[in-house]
Amino acid sequence: SSMAGIKIIFGHRELLPIAIIAALIGCGGPSAKQARHGFVDPLDQADNIVIFIHGVMGGAESTWLNKKTSSFWPELMRADIELPKTNVYVVEYDSPNLKRSLNVHEIAVQTSRKLQDEGIFKKHKNIFFVTHSMGGLIAKDILVGLKEQSLFDALVRVKVVLFIATPSQGSDMARLGDLLSRNPQFGSMIHIGDNQALQQLEDSWSNLWRQKD
């Protein structure tokens, strides 16, 4: 089946409310310039690829960078000698604290198209997603979209999705962000009981996941 090999790993979703409050009052969010995105020192021939997707109010650089050591997780992974023939790709999208931007589904469609245009689903046999916060919802939407487009050859290459603090059932604190910000991404993460779009995404993801058996 199309999902036979995928492994799902969850992290700590309770971190999201803290991140929302901190960023809205000016204690977090992406840096002014996000330069570290796209391929990281790409290999011409690579069987594997790890794709990083940041979360709400994050950025391709700010999410994965240790500011104390200046270590950038995607670069560390690309340089790891125990990961031969492995490319690394860092997704970047706009996620402002207060300004208007794309919603989760729109980001997923845009990102999926970008990944397809880059040939990622054709050039790599094994694809691994590492996602933080809302990035997990984006990854789910991307994979559901591949199924809806009948791109099963791409889907079977996805082996692992790592979710770190992904609000799969939404977050009550996202409503606060939705009230204070024009960014529709907060509305995309309102609690699932009041969020038809998130409910549909989770239903589609559950159906896709059940097909692994």
PDB file of all heavy atoms in Angstrom, residues 53 103-112 116 129 131 134-149 155 161 163 188 197-198 200-202 204-205 208:
ATOM      1  N   ILE A  53      10.935  21.196   8.101  1.00  0.00           N
ATOM      2  CA  ILE A  53       9.856  22.174   7.948  1.00  0.00           C
ATOM      3  C   ILE A  53       9.620  22.852   9.290  1.00  0.00           C
ATOM      4  O   ILE A  53       9.223  22.205  10.266  1.00  0.00           O
ATOM      5  CB  ILE A  53       8.546  21.525   7.463  1.00  0.00           C
ATOM      6  CG1 ILE A  53       8.773  20.697   6.194  1.00  0.00           C
ATOM      7  CG2 ILE A  53       7.503  22.615   7.201  1.00  0.00           C
ATOM      8  CD1 ILE A  53       7.514  20.043   5.655  1.00  0.00           C
ATOM      9  N   ASN A 103      -2.244  30.533   4.622  1.00  0.00           N
ATOM     10  CA  ASN A 103      -2.672  29.582   5.641  1.00  0.00           C
ATOM     11  C   ASN A 103      -1.958  28.246   5.453  1.00  0.00           C
ATOM     12  O   ASN A 103      -1.165  28.078   4.509  1.00  0.00           O
ATOM     13  CB  ASN A 103      -4.197  29.417   5.639  1.00  0.00           C
ATOM     14  CG  ASN A 103      -4.740  28.839   4.329  1.00  0.00           C
ATOM     15  OD1 ASN A 103      -4.082  28.049   3.668  1.00  0.00           O
ATOM     16  ND2 ASN A 103      -5.952  29.245   3.965  1.00  0.00           N
ATOM     17  N   VAL A 104      -2.239  27.289   6.311  1.00  0.00           N
ATOM     18  CA  VAL A 104      -1.527  26.009   6.298  1.00  0.00           C
ATOM     19  C   VAL A 104      -1.678  25.299   4.957  1.00  0.00           C
ATOM     20  O   VAL A 104      -0.693  24.822   4.371  1.00  0.00           O
ATOM     21  CB  VAL A 104      -2.019  25.096   7.444  1.00  0.00           C
ATOM     22  CG1 VAL A 104      -1.548  23.660   7.228  1.00  0.00           C
ATOM     23  CG2 VAL A 104      -1.500  25.607   8.780  1.00  0.00           C
ATOM     24  N   HIS A 105      -2.894  25.206   4.453  1.00  0.00           N
ATOM     25  CA  HIS A 105      -3.119  24.489   3.197  1.00  0.00           C
ATOM     26  C   HIS A 105      -2.410  25.169   2.035  1.00  0.00           C
ATOM     27  O   HIS A 105      -1.800  24.500   1.187  1.00  0.00           O
ATOM     28  CB  HIS A 105      -4.610  24.383   2.911  1.00  0.00           C
ATOM     29  CG  HIS A 105      -4.919  23.689   1.616  1.00  0.00           C
ATOM     30  ND1 HIS A 105      -4.630  22.352   1.403  1.00  0.00           N
ATOM     31  CD2 HIS A 105      -5.462  24.151   0.445  1.00  0.00           C
ATOM     32  CE1 HIS A 105      -4.993  22.011   0.183  1.00  0.00           C
ATOM     33  NE2 HIS A 105      -5.488  23.086  -0.415  1.00  0.00           N
ATOM     34  N   GLU A 106      -2.463  26.484   1.988  1.00  0.00           N
ATOM     35  CA  GLU A 106      -1.798  27.211   0.909  1.00  0.00           C
ATOM     36  C   GLU A 106      -0.287  27.011   0.954  1.00  0.00           C
ATOM     37  O   GLU A 106       0.362  26.838  -0.097  1.00  0.00           O
ATOM     38  CB  GLU A 106      -2.140  28.698   1.007  1.00  0.00           C
ATOM     39  CG  GLU A 106      -3.598  29.006   0.687  1.00  0.00           C
ATOM     40  CD  GLU A 106      -4.013  30.417   1.066  1.00  0.00           C
ATOM     41  OE1 GLU A 106      -3.350  31.022   1.946  1.00  0.00           O
ATOM     42  OE2 GLU A 106      -4.989  30.925   0.492  1.00  0.00           O
ATOM     43  N   ILE A 107       0.281  26.997   2.164  1.00  0.00           N
ATOM     44  CA  ILE A 107       1.719  26.741   2.308  1.00  0.00           C
ATOM     45  C   ILE A 107       2.054  25.331   1.848  1.00  0.00           C
ATOM     46  O   ILE A 107       3.053  25.103   1.159  1.00  0.00           O
ATOM     47  CB  ILE A 107       2.171  26.941   3.760  1.00  0.00           C
ATOM     48  CG1 ILE A 107       1.996  28.400   4.184  1.00  0.00           C
ATOM     49  CG2 ILE A 107       3.632  26.522   3.942  1.00  0.00           C
ATOM     50  CD1 ILE A 107       2.160  28.623   5.669  1.00  0.00           C
ATOM     51  N   ALA A 108       1.205  24.371   2.214  1.00  0.00           N
ATOM     52  CA  ALA A 108       1.442  22.976   1.836  1.00  0.00           C
ATOM     53  C   ALA A 108       1.427  22.802   0.322  1.00  0.00           C
ATOM     54  O   ALA A 108       2.289  22.121  -0.253  1.00  0.00           O
ATOM     55  CB  ALA A 108       0.401  22.069   2.486  1.00  0.00           C
ATOM     56  N   VAL A 109       0.459  23.414  -0.333  1.00  0.00           N
ATOM     57  CA  VAL A 109       0.364  23.323  -1.795  1.00  0.00           C
ATOM     58  C   VAL A 109       1.591  23.949  -2.439  1.00  0.00           C
ATOM     59  O   VAL A 109       2.201  23.374  -3.356  1.00  0.00           O
ATOM     60  CB  VAL A 109      -0.920  24.015  -2.299  1.00  0.00           C
ATOM     61  CG1 VAL A 109      -0.910  24.133  -3.824  1.00  0.00           C
ATOM     62  CG2 VAL A 109      -2.157  23.253  -1.833  1.00  0.00           C
ATOM     63  N   GLN A 110       1.977  25.118  -1.958  1.00  0.00           N
ATOM     64  CA  GLN A 110       3.144  25.823  -2.497  1.00  0.00           C
ATOM     65  C   GLN A 110       4.425  25.017  -2.264  1.00  0.00           C
ATOM     66  O   GLN A 110       5.269  24.893  -3.162  1.00  0.00           O
ATOM     67  CB  GLN A 110       3.236  27.196  -1.849  1.00  0.00           C
ATOM     68  CG  GLN A 110       4.300  28.104  -2.410  1.00  0.00           C
ATOM     69  CD  GLN A 110       4.319  29.455  -1.708  1.00  0.00           C
ATOM     70  OE1 GLN A 110       4.852  29.596  -0.606  1.00  0.00           O
ATOM     71  NE2 GLN A 110       3.715  30.450  -2.334  1.00  0.00           N
ATOM     72  N   THR A 111       4.568  24.470  -1.052  1.00  0.00           N
ATOM     73  CA  THR A 111       5.768  23.705  -0.712  1.00  0.00           C
ATOM     74  C   THR A 111       5.840  22.412  -1.504  1.00  0.00           C
ATOM     75  O   THR A 111       6.903  22.031  -2.006  1.00  0.00           O
ATOM     76  CB  THR A 111       5.801  23.392   0.797  1.00  0.00           C
ATOM     77  OG1 THR A 111       5.776  24.620   1.534  1.00  0.00           O
ATOM     78  CG2 THR A 111       7.048  22.608   1.162  1.00  0.00           C
ATOM     79  N   SER A 112       4.713  21.718  -1.628  1.00  0.00           N
ATOM     80  CA  SER A 112       4.684  20.476  -2.398  1.00  0.00           C
ATOM     81  C   SER A 112       5.092  20.719  -3.845  1.00  0.00           C
ATOM     82  O   SER A 112       5.876  19.955  -4.424  1.00  0.00           O
ATOM     83  CB  SER A 112       3.285  19.857  -2.342  1.00  0.00           C
ATOM     84  OG  SER A 112       3.244  18.646  -3.064  1.00  0.00           O
ATOM     85  N   GLN A 116       8.372  19.180  -5.699  1.00  0.00           N
ATOM     86  CA  GLN A 116       8.243  18.444  -6.950  1.00  0.00           C
ATOM     87  C   GLN A 116       9.076  19.087  -8.048  1.00  0.00           C
ATOM     88  O   GLN A 116       9.724  18.382  -8.837  1.00  0.00           O
ATOM     89  CB  GLN A 116       6.774  18.372  -7.362  1.00  0.00           C
ATOM     90  CG  GLN A 116       5.923  17.507  -6.437  1.00  0.00           C
ATOM     91  CD  GLN A 116       4.460  17.485  -6.837  1.00  0.00           C
ATOM     92  OE1 GLN A 116       4.121  17.147  -7.966  1.00  0.00           O
ATOM     93  NE2 GLN A 116       3.582  17.863  -5.912  1.00  0.00           N
ATOM     94  N   PHE A 129      10.948  13.397   6.790  1.00  0.00           N
ATOM     95  CA  PHE A 129      10.521  14.740   7.188  1.00  0.00           C
ATOM     96  C   PHE A 129      10.813  14.968   8.665  1.00  0.00           C
ATOM     97  O   PHE A 129      10.511  14.120   9.505  1.00  0.00           O
ATOM     98  CB  PHE A 129       9.021  14.929   6.955  1.00  0.00           C
ATOM     99  CG  PHE A 129       8.633  15.169   5.522  1.00  0.00           C
ATOM    100  CD1 PHE A 129       8.329  14.101   4.687  1.00  0.00           C
ATOM    101  CD2 PHE A 129       8.566  16.451   5.004  1.00  0.00           C
ATOM    102  CE1 PHE A 129       7.960  14.303   3.365  1.00  0.00           C
ATOM    103  CE2 PHE A 129       8.211  16.680   3.687  1.00  0.00           C
ATOM    104  CZ  PHE A 129       7.897  15.603   2.860  1.00  0.00           C
ATOM    105  N   THR A 131       9.725  17.856  11.333  1.00  0.00           N
ATOM    106  CA  THR A 131       8.824  19.002  11.383  1.00  0.00           C
ATOM    107  C   THR A 131       8.678  19.547  12.794  1.00  0.00           C
ATOM    108  O   THR A 131       8.722  18.798  13.775  1.00  0.00           O
ATOM    109  CB  THR A 131       7.430  18.620  10.857  1.00  0.00           C
ATOM    110  OG1 THR A 131       6.772  17.753  11.800  1.00  0.00           O
ATOM    111  CG2 THR A 131       7.528  17.917   9.516  1.00  0.00           C
ATOM    112  N   MET A 134       3.612  23.835  13.629  1.00  0.00           N
ATOM    113  CA  MET A 134       2.712  23.838  12.482  1.00  0.00           C
ATOM    114  C   MET A 134       3.321  23.153  11.265  1.00  0.00           C
ATOM    115  O   MET A 134       2.602  22.723  10.350  1.00  0.00           O
ATOM    116  CB  MET A 134       2.331  25.280  12.143  1.00  0.00           C
ATOM    117  CG  MET A 134       1.207  25.432  11.150  1.00  0.00           C
ATOM    118  SD  MET A 134       0.906  27.178  10.778  1.00  0.00           S
ATOM    119  CE  MET A 134       2.347  27.561   9.775  1.00  0.00           C
ATOM    120  N   GLY A 135       4.647  23.030  11.251  1.00  0.00           N
ATOM    121  CA  GLY A 135       5.303  22.332  10.148  1.00  0.00           C
ATOM    122  C   GLY A 135       4.808  20.908   9.997  1.00  0.00           C
ATOM    123  O   GLY A 135       4.790  20.359   8.892  1.00  0.00           O
ATOM    124  N   GLY A 136       4.393  20.286  11.112  1.00  0.00           N
ATOM    125  CA  GLY A 136       3.835  18.940  11.042  1.00  0.00           C
ATOM    126  C   GLY A 136       2.517  18.906  10.297  1.00  0.00           C
ATOM    127  O   GLY A 136       2.237  17.959   9.539  1.00  0.00           O
ATOM    128  N   LEU A 137       1.690  19.933  10.492  1.00  0.00           N
ATOM    129  CA  LEU A 137       0.420  20.013   9.765  1.00  0.00           C
ATOM    130  C   LEU A 137       0.676  20.216   8.275  1.00  0.00           C
ATOM    131  O   LEU A 137      -0.025  19.654   7.427  1.00  0.00           O
ATOM    132  CB  LEU A 137      -0.428  21.166  10.308  1.00  0.00           C
ATOM    133  CG  LEU A 137      -0.787  21.121  11.796  1.00  0.00           C
ATOM    134  CD1 LEU A 137      -1.671  22.308  12.158  1.00  0.00           C
ATOM    135  CD2 LEU A 137      -1.477  19.808  12.161  1.00  0.00           C
ATOM    136  N   ILE A 138       1.700  20.999   7.962  1.00  0.00           N
ATOM    137  CA  ILE A 138       2.064  21.228   6.563  1.00  0.00           C
ATOM    138  C   ILE A 138       2.511  19.920   5.920  1.00  0.00           C
ATOM    139  O   ILE A 138       2.107  19.594   4.795  1.00  0.00           O
ATOM    140  CB  ILE A 138       3.159  22.302   6.459  1.00  0.00           C
ATOM    141  CG1 ILE A 138       2.611  23.656   6.920  1.00  0.00           C
ATOM    142  CG2 ILE A 138       3.709  22.394   5.037  1.00  0.00           C
ATOM    143  CD1 ILE A 138       3.675  24.723   7.094  1.00  0.00           C
ATOM    144  N   ALA A 139       3.327  19.147   6.636  1.00  0.00           N
ATOM    145  CA  ALA A 139       3.797  17.863   6.099  1.00  0.00           C
ATOM    146  C   ALA A 139       2.617  16.921   5.855  1.00  0.00           C
ATOM    147  O   ALA A 139       2.560  16.245   4.818  1.00  0.00           O
ATOM    148  CB  ALA A 139       4.794  17.228   7.060  1.00  0.00           C
ATOM    149  N   LYS A 140       1.689  16.865   6.802  1.00  0.00           N
ATOM    150  CA  LYS A 140       0.504  16.020   6.617  1.00  0.00           C
ATOM    151  C   LYS A 140      -0.256  16.437   5.364  1.00  0.00           C
ATOM    152  O   LYS A 140      -0.672  15.592   4.561  1.00  0.00           O
ATOM    153  CB  LYS A 140      -0.414  16.118   7.833  1.00  0.00           C
ATOM    154  CG  LYS A 140       0.099  15.444   9.084  1.00  0.00           C
ATOM    155  CD  LYS A 140      -0.915  15.575  10.216  1.00  0.00           C
ATOM    156  CE  LYS A 140      -0.428  14.904  11.489  1.00  0.00           C
ATOM    157  NZ  LYS A 140      -1.424  14.968  12.579  1.00  0.00           N
ATOM    158  N   ASP A 141      -0.450  17.737   5.211  1.00  0.00           N
ATOM    159  CA  ASP A 141      -1.198  18.252   4.062  1.00  0.00           C
ATOM    160  C   ASP A 141      -0.469  17.930   2.757  1.00  0.00           C
ATOM    161  O   ASP A 141      -1.102  17.614   1.738  1.00  0.00           O
ATOM    162  CB  ASP A 141      -1.393  19.763   4.212  1.00  0.00           C
ATOM    163  CG  ASP A 141      -2.629  20.272   3.487  1.00  0.00           C
ATOM    164  OD1 ASP A 141      -2.968  19.712   2.441  1.00  0.00           O
ATOM    165  OD2 ASP A 141      -3.250  21.234   3.973  1.00  0.00           O
ATOM    166  N   ILE A 142       0.847  18.004   2.770  1.00  0.00           N
ATOM    167  CA  ILE A 142       1.632  17.659   1.573  1.00  0.00           C
ATOM    168  C   ILE A 142       1.403  16.202   1.185  1.00  0.00           C
ATOM    169  O   ILE A 142       1.142  15.881   0.014  1.00  0.00           O
ATOM    170  CB  ILE A 142       3.134  17.911   1.814  1.00  0.00           C
ATOM    171  CG1 ILE A 142       3.413  19.416   1.884  1.00  0.00           C
ATOM    172  CG2 ILE A 142       3.975  17.271   0.707  1.00  0.00           C
ATOM    173  CD1 ILE A 142       4.840  19.739   2.300  1.00  0.00           C
ATOM    174  N   LEU A 143       1.474  15.304   2.163  1.00  0.00           N
ATOM    175  CA  LEU A 143       1.344  13.871   1.876  1.00  0.00           C
ATOM    176  C   LEU A 143      -0.080  13.516   1.474  1.00  0.00           C
ATOM    177  O   LEU A 143      -0.290  12.688   0.574  1.00  0.00           O
ATOM    178  CB  LEU A 143       1.793  13.056   3.084  1.00  0.00           C
ATOM    179  CG  LEU A 143       3.254  13.264   3.500  1.00  0.00           C
ATOM    180  CD1 LEU A 143       3.626  12.344   4.649  1.00  0.00           C
ATOM    181  CD2 LEU A 143       4.195  13.050   2.327  1.00  0.00           C
ATOM    182  N   VAL A 144      -1.064  14.132   2.124  1.00  0.00           N
ATOM    183  CA  VAL A 144      -2.456  13.919   1.722  1.00  0.00           C
ATOM    184  C   VAL A 144      -2.651  14.403   0.285  1.00  0.00           C
ATOM    185  O   VAL A 144      -3.328  13.751  -0.519  1.00  0.00           O
ATOM    186  CB  VAL A 144      -3.420  14.669   2.675  1.00  0.00           C
ATOM    187  CG1 VAL A 144      -4.825  14.726   2.089  1.00  0.00           C
ATOM    188  CG2 VAL A 144      -3.455  13.980   4.032  1.00  0.00           C
ATOM    189  N   GLY A 145      -2.026  15.515  -0.047  1.00  0.00           N
ATOM    190  CA  GLY A 145      -2.120  16.046  -1.403  1.00  0.00           C
ATOM    191  C   GLY A 145      -1.505  15.123  -2.442  1.00  0.00           C
ATOM    192  O   GLY A 145      -2.034  14.971  -3.549  1.00  0.00           O
ATOM    193  N   LEU A 146      -0.391  14.473  -2.091  1.00  0.00           N
ATOM    194  CA  LEU A 146       0.221  13.507  -3.014  1.00  0.00           C
ATOM    195  C   LEU A 146      -0.733  12.362  -3.299  1.00  0.00           C
ATOM    196  O   LEU A 146      -0.852  11.910  -4.450  1.00  0.00           O
ATOM    197  CB  LEU A 146       1.524  12.964  -2.416  1.00  0.00           C
ATOM    198  CG  LEU A 146       2.691  13.941  -2.288  1.00  0.00           C
ATOM    199  CD1 LEU A 146       3.891  13.251  -1.659  1.00  0.00           C
ATOM    200  CD2 LEU A 146       3.081  14.541  -3.639  1.00  0.00           C
ATOM    201  N   LYS A 147      -1.426  11.912  -2.273  1.00  0.00           N
ATOM    202  CA  LYS A 147      -2.401  10.830  -2.463  1.00  0.00           C
ATOM    203  C   LYS A 147      -3.557  11.294  -3.339  1.00  0.00           C
ATOM    204  O   LYS A 147      -3.988  10.574  -4.253  1.00  0.00           O
ATOM    205  CB  LYS A 147      -2.929  10.342  -1.117  1.00  0.00           C
ATOM    206  CG  LYS A 147      -4.001   9.248  -1.233  1.00  0.00           C
ATOM    207  CD  LYS A 147      -4.469   8.803   0.132  1.00  0.00           C
ATOM    208  CE  LYS A 147      -5.539   7.710  -0.011  1.00  0.00           C
ATOM    209  NZ  LYS A 147      -6.780   8.232  -0.646  1.00  0.00           N
ATOM    210  N   GLU A 148      -4.066  12.498  -3.075  1.00  0.00           N
ATOM    211  CA  GLU A 148      -5.195  13.014  -3.835  1.00  0.00           C
ATOM    212  C   GLU A 148      -4.828  13.218  -5.302  1.00  0.00           C
ATOM    213  O   GLU A 148      -5.691  13.147  -6.179  1.00  0.00           O
ATOM    214  CB  GLU A 148      -5.687  14.318  -3.217  1.00  0.00           C
ATOM    215  CG  GLU A 148      -6.338  14.119  -1.845  1.00  0.00           C
ATOM    216  CD  GLU A 148      -6.727  15.415  -1.181  1.00  0.00           C
ATOM    217  OE1 GLU A 148      -6.261  16.496  -1.649  1.00  0.00           O
ATOM    218  OE2 GLU A 148      -7.484  15.378  -0.194  1.00  0.00           O
ATOM    219  N   GLN A 149      -3.537  13.465  -5.576  1.00  0.00           N
ATOM    220  CA  GLN A 149      -3.069  13.618  -6.959  1.00  0.00           C
ATOM    221  C   GLN A 149      -2.645  12.278  -7.563  1.00  0.00           C
ATOM    222  O   GLN A 149      -2.146  12.249  -8.687  1.00  0.00           O
ATOM    223  CB  GLN A 149      -1.884  14.586  -6.988  1.00  0.00           C
ATOM    224  CG  GLN A 149      -2.206  15.999  -6.536  1.00  0.00           C
ATOM    225  CD  GLN A 149      -0.943  16.844  -6.436  1.00  0.00           C
ATOM    226  OE1 GLN A 149      -0.289  17.137  -7.438  1.00  0.00           O
ATOM    227  NE2 GLN A 149      -0.587  17.239  -5.225  1.00  0.00           N
ATOM    228  N   LEU A 155       4.771   9.066  -2.901  1.00  0.00           N
ATOM    229  CA  LEU A 155       4.331   8.795  -1.533  1.00  0.00           C
ATOM    230  C   LEU A 155       5.073   7.620  -0.901  1.00  0.00           C
ATOM    231  O   LEU A 155       5.424   7.656   0.284  1.00  0.00           O
ATOM    232  CB  LEU A 155       2.832   8.536  -1.531  1.00  0.00           C
ATOM    233  CG  LEU A 155       2.089   8.651  -0.202  1.00  0.00           C
ATOM    234  CD1 LEU A 155       2.305  10.015   0.434  1.00  0.00           C
ATOM    235  CD2 LEU A 155       0.611   8.383  -0.418  1.00  0.00           C
ATOM    236  N   VAL A 161       8.106  10.451   9.260  1.00  0.00           N
ATOM    237  CA  VAL A 161       7.704  11.823   9.550  1.00  0.00           C
ATOM    238  C   VAL A 161       7.881  12.037  11.052  1.00  0.00           C
ATOM    239  O   VAL A 161       7.248  11.354  11.857  1.00  0.00           O
ATOM    240  CB  VAL A 161       6.246  12.108   9.159  1.00  0.00           C
ATOM    241  CG1 VAL A 161       5.907  13.565   9.416  1.00  0.00           C
ATOM    242  CG2 VAL A 161       5.996  11.755   7.698  1.00  0.00           C
ATOM    243  N   PHE A 163       7.315  14.438  14.152  1.00  0.00           N
ATOM    244  CA  PHE A 163       6.528  15.587  14.605  1.00  0.00           C
ATOM    245  C   PHE A 163       7.071  16.077  15.941  1.00  0.00           C
ATOM    246  O   PHE A 163       7.078  15.336  16.918  1.00  0.00           O
ATOM    247  CB  PHE A 163       5.057  15.193  14.777  1.00  0.00           C
ATOM    248  CG  PHE A 163       4.372  14.757  13.511  1.00  0.00           C
ATOM    249  CD1 PHE A 163       4.048  13.428  13.302  1.00  0.00           C
ATOM    250  CD2 PHE A 163       4.050  15.680  12.537  1.00  0.00           C
ATOM    251  CE1 PHE A 163       3.415  13.017  12.137  1.00  0.00           C
ATOM    252  CE2 PHE A 163       3.408  15.286  11.375  1.00  0.00           C
ATOM    253  CZ  PHE A 163       3.089  13.954  11.168  1.00  0.00           C
ATOM    254  N   SER A 188      -5.660  28.401  11.498  1.00  0.00           N
ATOM    255  CA  SER A 188      -5.510  27.019  11.030  1.00  0.00           C
ATOM    256  C   SER A 188      -5.252  26.049  12.172  1.00  0.00           C
ATOM    257  O   SER A 188      -5.387  24.838  12.004  1.00  0.00           O
ATOM    258  CB  SER A 188      -4.357  26.930  10.018  1.00  0.00           C
ATOM    259  OG  SER A 188      -4.617  27.699   8.861  1.00  0.00           O
ATOM    260  N   ALA A 197     -11.416  22.837   8.906  1.00  0.00           N
ATOM    261  CA  ALA A 197     -10.283  22.555   8.024  1.00  0.00           C
ATOM    262  C   ALA A 197      -9.308  21.585   8.683  1.00  0.00           C
ATOM    263  O   ALA A 197      -8.817  20.641   8.040  1.00  0.00           O
ATOM    264  CB  ALA A 197      -9.567  23.843   7.651  1.00  0.00           C
ATOM    265  N   LEU A 198      -9.025  21.788   9.969  1.00  0.00           N
ATOM    266  CA  LEU A 198      -8.125  20.888  10.678  1.00  0.00           C
ATOM    267  C   LEU A 198      -8.755  19.511  10.833  1.00  0.00           C
ATOM    268  O   LEU A 198      -8.074  18.490  10.712  1.00  0.00           O
ATOM    269  CB  LEU A 198      -7.765  21.466  12.051  1.00  0.00           C
ATOM    270  CG  LEU A 198      -6.787  20.651  12.897  1.00  0.00           C
ATOM    271  CD1 LEU A 198      -5.469  20.428  12.147  1.00  0.00           C
ATOM    272  CD2 LEU A 198      -6.512  21.346  14.233  1.00  0.00           C
ATOM    273  N   GLN A 200     -10.850  18.097   8.774  1.00  0.00           N
ATOM    274  CA  GLN A 200     -10.753  17.435   7.473  1.00  0.00           C
ATOM    275  C   GLN A 200      -9.337  16.935   7.216  1.00  0.00           C
ATOM    276  O   GLN A 200      -9.161  15.827   6.681  1.00  0.00           O
ATOM    277  CB  GLN A 200     -11.190  18.406   6.367  1.00  0.00           C
ATOM    278  CG  GLN A 200     -12.677  18.720   6.385  1.00  0.00           C
ATOM    279  CD  GLN A 200     -13.073  19.755   5.342  1.00  0.00           C
ATOM    280  OE1 GLN A 200     -12.223  20.485   4.805  1.00  0.00           O
ATOM    281  NE2 GLN A 200     -14.355  19.842   5.044  1.00  0.00           N
ATOM    282  N   LEU A 201      -8.341  17.745   7.600  1.00  0.00           N
ATOM    283  CA  LEU A 201      -6.955  17.324   7.417  1.00  0.00           C
ATOM    284  C   LEU A 201      -6.658  16.078   8.239  1.00  0.00           C
ATOM    285  O   LEU A 201      -6.047  15.119   7.742  1.00  0.00           O
ATOM    286  CB  LEU A 201      -6.006  18.449   7.805  1.00  0.00           C
ATOM    287  CG  LEU A 201      -4.499  18.106   7.781  1.00  0.00           C
ATOM    288  CD1 LEU A 201      -4.071  17.658   6.396  1.00  0.00           C
ATOM    289  CD2 LEU A 201      -3.673  19.296   8.255  1.00  0.00           C
ATOM    290  N   GLU A 202      -7.093  16.081   9.514  1.00  0.00           N
ATOM    291  CA  GLU A 202      -6.823  14.936  10.376  1.00  0.00           C
ATOM    292  C   GLU A 202      -7.573  13.696   9.907  1.00  0.00           C
ATOM    293  O   GLU A 202      -7.059  12.579   9.997  1.00  0.00           O
ATOM    294  CB  GLU A 202      -7.185  15.268  11.823  1.00  0.00           C
ATOM    295  CG  GLU A 202      -6.204  16.216  12.496  1.00  0.00           C
ATOM    296  CD  GLU A 202      -4.773  15.694  12.458  1.00  0.00           C
ATOM    297  OE1 GLU A 202      -4.524  14.559  12.919  1.00  0.00           O
ATOM    298  OE2 GLU A 202      -3.895  16.415  11.951  1.00  0.00           O
ATOM    299  N   SER A 204      -8.356  13.027   6.752  1.00  0.00           N
ATOM    300  CA  SER A 204      -7.635  12.574   5.555  1.00  0.00           C
ATOM    301  C   SER A 204      -6.323  11.904   5.930  1.00  0.00           C
ATOM    302  O   SER A 204      -5.933  10.884   5.347  1.00  0.00           O
ATOM    303  CB  SER A 204      -7.364  13.757   4.615  1.00  0.00           C
ATOM    304  OG  SER A 204      -8.559  14.327   4.152  1.00  0.00           O
ATOM    305  N   TRP A 205      -5.633  12.474   6.934  1.00  0.00           N
ATOM    306  CA  TRP A 205      -4.376  11.891   7.394  1.00  0.00           C
ATOM    307  C   TRP A 205      -4.619  10.520   8.035  1.00  0.00           C
ATOM    308  O   TRP A 205      -3.868   9.571   7.779  1.00  0.00           O
ATOM    309  CB  TRP A 205      -3.698  12.823   8.386  1.00  0.00           C
ATOM    310  CG  TRP A 205      -2.477  12.244   9.034  1.00  0.00           C
ATOM    311  CD1 TRP A 205      -2.355  11.766  10.305  1.00  0.00           C
ATOM    312  CD2 TRP A 205      -1.194  12.059   8.419  1.00  0.00           C
ATOM    313  NE1 TRP A 205      -1.082  11.302  10.529  1.00  0.00           N
ATOM    314  CE2 TRP A 205      -0.345  11.466   9.383  1.00  0.00           C
ATOM    315  CE3 TRP A 205      -0.693  12.341   7.150  1.00  0.00           C
ATOM    316  CZ2 TRP A 205       0.981  11.150   9.109  1.00  0.00           C
ATOM    317  CZ3 TRP A 205       0.630  12.023   6.878  1.00  0.00           C
ATOM    318  CH2 TRP A 205       1.452  11.428   7.860  1.00  0.00           C
ATOM    319  N   LEU A 208      -5.215   8.039   5.346  1.00  0.00           N
ATOM    320  CA  LEU A 208      -3.956   7.737   4.673  1.00  0.00           C
ATOM    321  C   LEU A 208      -3.110   6.813   5.543  1.00  0.00           C
ATOM    322  O   LEU A 208      -2.510   5.847   5.057  1.00  0.00           O
ATOM    323  CB  LEU A 208      -3.203   9.041   4.400  1.00  0.00           C
ATOM    324  CG  LEU A 208      -1.893   8.963   3.627  1.00  0.00           C
ATOM    325  CD1 LEU A 208      -2.115   8.366   2.243  1.00  0.00           C
ATOM    326  CD2 LEU A 208      -1.271  10.338   3.503  1.00  0.00           C
TER     327      LEU A 208
END
